[in-house]
Amino acid sequence: MTALDLNSPVAVVGAGTMGQGIAQVALVAGHPVRLYDTVPGRAREAAGTIGARLDRLVEKGRLAVGERDAARSRLEAVEDLAGLAGCALVAEAVVERLDVKQELLRAVEDVVGDDCLLATNTSSLSVTAIGGALRVPGRLVGLHFFNPAPLLPLVEVVSGSATDVSSATRAYDTARAWGKTPVSCADTPGFLVNRIARPFYAEAFAVFESRGAGPATVDAVLRECGGFRMGAFELTDLIGQDVNESVTHSVWRSFFQDARFAPSLAQRRLVESGRLGRKSGQGWYDYRDGAEHPEPHTAGPADPPPYLVVHGDQGPAAELVAMVREAGIEVREAGIEVREGGEPGNARFVLPGGGDLCLADGRTCAESGDAVRFDLALDYRRATRVALSAGQGTRPATLREATGLFQALGKKVSVIGDVPGMIVARTVARIIDLAHEAVAQGVATAEDVDTAMRLGVNYPAGPFEWERSLGRRWAHDLLCALRLRDPSGRCAPSLALHLHAHASDQREDRPS
């Protein structure tokens, strides 16, 4: 293990919220910590704030009094860069501007020794570009903490094109010694979490822009059906619409305006109007005193159907068959049907009135006649809400039967517009796709991707964990169907996912 010795001083440059958090992490781990900021007096103020946080940890029983006192004695606010001499690690957490970071780290190089590890906490800039201005670029590594740094476990350890393997290894081991869960990744736009998480926001905004459902309904479906901790609209209100949109634009521009990362016009209008979320009092939701929070669409009570006919293998929705039986509704098996060439399988439920009930697969209800589609739930037993969609050809009686069926299973029902891929299904499929592409490009391992998405954004599972439960071809097939209905290219599966899906078929067809 090549972690820094605890006697080695660590410096943090930038005494804002993130800088204070990183300093606290290193301090509690046992290092002497020096805090510097270009604004006179700010480092001293930040040191006082960190001390108050340590006091609260003692009050909560998370830190012993002696440990707090020792930590306080190791914290020093310095007034100029010369005070960083002798540090083994200098981490910057200053404004997200390439020129500012480059100039700062060049100045740090003039003070510290050549064996000092340099780190940037950038979330959107290229580590390679920052290091390109340095005399010794091989010692620069990205250490991307998540806010609040003392609480969130994930740290992305980012290697720029010139980063030495020894520097990345030392940074990784140090983050782990500090009690964090580090993941290694190459220098790619958005790194891991901010790259792979883009569809979580983009697909929610796309459903809204197509008038498929309002923010409250989309958020409720993502939480209560998809199992996500927060919905996309409430989460971006918490992050700040300007901050979230800035990251989206950065990733989009860095990928040469790839349609899969395209920003949302609806979010742009929100930012332009100054409705930035909780910090401004208004965002997608209104947080001002006395404002009413909109409720998600929830269908009124409907009678359950007396029976349900099952056609084919229901794949990710197979658990529903047992749940229907447990609810006292008769299940009639109709056998397995052959897949249609080029389209998702023909598995479906048939309701007593003759209408079809199908899992979201990227097609619309309009092209299926008298049909209702239901959204993907990553765990149908634990889900408390299910979204349904109906097309122009869907009879009201069919929608009532489908609503009553899911209500009989103990679920709230939200009816949305005829959106191909619905909400959870299209979101999960696109996340899986970007995860495959990142691994294929050598950005990170599949294990690190899963860890990053679970710990960095609190997803209920990692993309590859989802794929193992949904099936190897599920995401590919759904995205192929979406691409036919949205020719912009934003939903097209990557080459990596395409090769993965077809390679699995070839392996299965290969004689033993």
Side-chain angles (χ1 to χ4, degrees):
M1 186 170 177
T2 59
L4 297 179
D5 186 273
L6 289 180
N7 294 318
S8 301
V10 170
V12 178
V13 180
T17 301
M18 185 56 75
Q20 293 174 27
I22 297 171
Q24 181 179 329
V25 170
L27 192 65
V28 172
H31 288 274
V33 173
R34 301 174 193 173
L35 191 59
Y36 169 74
D37 196 282
T38 56
V39 178
R42 182 175 289 178
R44 287 195 304 273
E45 293 176 6
T49 301
I50 293 171
R53 290 177 181 169
L54 297 178
D55 289 341
R56 287 196 292 273
L57 290 177
V58 171
E59 293 170 3
K60 295 177 180 179
R62 298 177 183 173
L63 191 68
V65 172
E67 292 173 329
R68 177 200 60 189
D69 295 342
R72 277 181 165 174
S73 70
R74 294 193 302 270
L75 180 60
E76 178 185 2
V78 299
E79 294 302 322
D80 54 51
L81 285 177
L84 308 186
C87 285
L89 166 64
V90 177
E92 70 80 13
V94 299
V95 64
E96 284 287 277
R97 278 181 47 188
L98 178 62
D99 58 337
V100 173
K101 292 180 183 291
Q102 288 177 328
E103 182 179 354
L104 168 67
L105 289 172
R106 279 198 302 264
V108 169
E109 275 195 309
D110 294 336
V111 173
V112 300
D114 285 352
D115 59 345
C116 177
L117 183 65
L118 302 183
T120 172
N121 185 59
T122 183
S123 62
S124 60
L125 299 176
S126 165
V127 174
T128 301
I130 295 171
L134 301 183
R135 177 171 51 83
V136 187
R139 60 168 159 183
L140 178 70
V141 65
L143 274 181
H144 181 213
F145 288 78
F146 289 75
N147 195 25
L151 297 180
L152 295 185
L154 184 71
V155 177
E156 292 177 322
V157 181
V158 186
S159 293
S161 296
T163 302
D164 293 335
V165 172
S166 59
S167 297
T169 302
R170 189 157 42 133
Y172 183 99
D173 288 346
T174 297
R176 186 166 56 183
W178 289 357
K180 296 300 179 181
T181 303
V183 293
S184 298
C185 66
D187 186 17
T188 184
F191 308 142
L192 283 183
V193 172
N194 279 330
R195 171 179 175 166
I196 297 173
R198 293 347 290 166
F200 181 73
Y201 314 110
E203 296 313 308
F205 298 161
V207 171
F208 171 76
E209 289 174 331
S210 68
R211 301 179 68 84
T217 299
V218 173
D219 281 352
V221 172
L222 286 169
R223 288 193 315 269
E224 300 169 37
C225 184
F228 292 94
R229 186 74 60 86
M230 297 180 74
F233 294 94
E234 57 188 343
L235 180 56
T236 52
D237 268 356
L238 178 64
I239 295 169
Q241 298 302 329
D242 52 340
V243 174
N244 182 259
E245 192 205 29
S246 176
V247 173
T248 298
H249 269 271
S250 175
V251 173
W252 176 61
R253 287 192 301 267
S254 297
F255 278 112
F256 307 104
Q257 299 185 359
D258 186 329
R260 294 175 303 157
F261 300 100
S264 160
L265 180 59
Q267 188 179 40
R268 174 91 291 264
R269 294 292 180 258
L270 210 63
V271 173
E272 289 174 338
S273 68
R275 291 176 291 170
L276 306 181
R278 288 181 177 271
K279 62 185 177 183
S280 69
Q282 283 182 289
W284 295 110
Y285 301 107
D286 192 337
Y287 301 94
R288 295 172 298 180
D289 291 342
E292 292 186 7
H293 196 289
E295 294 295 324
H297 174 270
T298 302
D303 294 332
Y307 65 88
L308 189 68
V309 182
V310 180
H311 288 257
D313 181 358
Q314 300 303 313
E319 184 65 16
L320 286 175
V321 178
M323 293 170 62
V324 169
R325 286 195 176 99
E326 292 165 11
I329 298 172
E330 179 187 356
V331 173
R332 301 176 183 177
E333 301 282 354
I336 299 177
E337 300 183 15
V338 179
R339 288 175 62 93
E340 298 176 358
E343 284 284 8
N346 206 27
R348 67 194 191 281
F349 299 112
V350 177
L351 296 160
D356 287 343
L357 177 62
C358 313
L359 176 64
D361 59 10
R363 292 181 289 185
T364 62
C365 291
E367 60 200 275
S368 302
D370 185 17
V372 170
R373 296 196 179 274
F374 62 95
D375 207 351
L376 175 71
L378 300 174
D379 186 336
Y380 281 102
R381 287 193 178 274
R382 295 182 63 182
T384 57
R385 182 180 299 269
V386 170
L388 303 180
S389 66
Q392 294 179 347
T394 305
R395 294 184 305 113
T398 299
L399 181 58
R400 284 196 300 272
E401 286 183 323
T403 299
L405 174 71
F406 282 102
Q407 288 176 342
L409 303 184
K411 316 300 179 188
K412 296 177 182 177
V413 173
S414 292
V415 179
I416 69 171
D418 194 4
V419 179
M422 302 191 69
I423 298 172
V424 179
R426 65 190 292 160
T427 300
V428 170
R430 290 208 56 219
I431 290 171
I432 290 173
D433 178 55
L434 293 187
H436 268 285
E437 184 177 60
V439 171
Q441 293 176 350
V443 174
T445 65
E447 181 181 4
D448 275 355
V449 167
D450 278 350
T451 298
M453 303 316 290
R454 280 189 286 101
L455 299 184
V457 277
N458 286 313
Y459 284 180
F464 294 98
E465 292 172 320
W466 280 332
E467 184 184 66
R468 285 192 288 274
S469 64
L470 295 170
R472 295 178 65 96
R473 288 189 60 100
W474 177 85
H476 174 268
D477 289 354
L478 188 141
L479 292 177
C480 284
L482 280 178
R483 178 180 56 185
L484 296 176
R485 290 148 185 89
D486 181 357
S488 68
R490 61 183 300 276
C491 296
S494 65
L495 176 61
L497 186 63
H498 174 84
L499 292 175
H500 171 76
H502 288 282
S504 66
D505 281 351
Q506 292 168 10
R507 284 194 295 268
E508 289 165 3
D509 294 342
R510 198 174 293 151
S512 58

